[in-house]
Amino acid sequence: RSEENLSEYERVRAALARGEGFEIERSLEYASLIVHSVETGIERVIYGNVRNDGLIENLPEGCCVEVPCVVDRTGVRPTHVGALPPQLAALNRTFVNVVELTVRAVLEQRPELVRLAAMLDPNASASLTLDEIDAVCDELVQTHGDGLPTWLRGARFGAKVAA
């Protein structure tokens, strides 16, 4: 997808440099709809990723949740959902755990937590062994090394973590 986006960017850039126009198509993104509703006052509902401040009762406070949001001239207002069925809350908490470890890794600059988060990811742990997840983490760091913060590229990340 990234290669396609870069190719499209270069195509449009070249067309603009030649003085050509291009057709604008509305995407599936919400930004234009939000701006339209704020500017016109026309109310609409979007599904937004917001901080869980009691919106979904059986998910941790402060985690990111996707809920219906009313948008109008006053802005974006998330709506209260209540409690999810227990099996859905449990599934979501599994992913929240992975995200919390990843965020903690960044805040504390502890690269070993990224590796542990990958090991706890439900899809990764169902598909790969711990050694394979370890190898994937090493490969990702090698592939994206220049784009990563120095602390994440360091030897600490390459050290084996007790599982």
Side-chain angles (χ1 to χ4, degrees), residues 126-141:
S127 307
L128 304 169
T129 66
L130 293 178
D131 287 339
E132 289 170 329
I133 292 170
D134 222 23
V136 167
C137 289
D138 289 339
E139 186 177 329
L140 286 169
V141 169

Side-chain angles (χ1 to χ4, degrees), residues 23-74:
E23 193 170 320
I24 297 175
E25 299 175 17
R26 190 174 118 46
S27 74
L28 298 176
E29 298 296 324
Y30 284 136
S32 63
L33 296 174
I34 292 170
V35 170
H36 183 264
S37 288
V38 169
E39 288 298 313
T40 64
I42 295 174
E43 183 177 288
R44 65 174 33 97
V45 175
I46 64 164
Y47 293 86
N49 294 307
V50 297
R51 179 183 169 93
N52 187 33
D53 291 323
L55 300 169
I56 299 181
E57 296 162 2
N58 51 352
L59 291 181
E61 285 289 314
C63 76
C64 183
V65 294
E66 185 173 332
V67 298
C69 298
V70 177
V71 187
D72 61 16
R73 195 170 299 283
T74 64

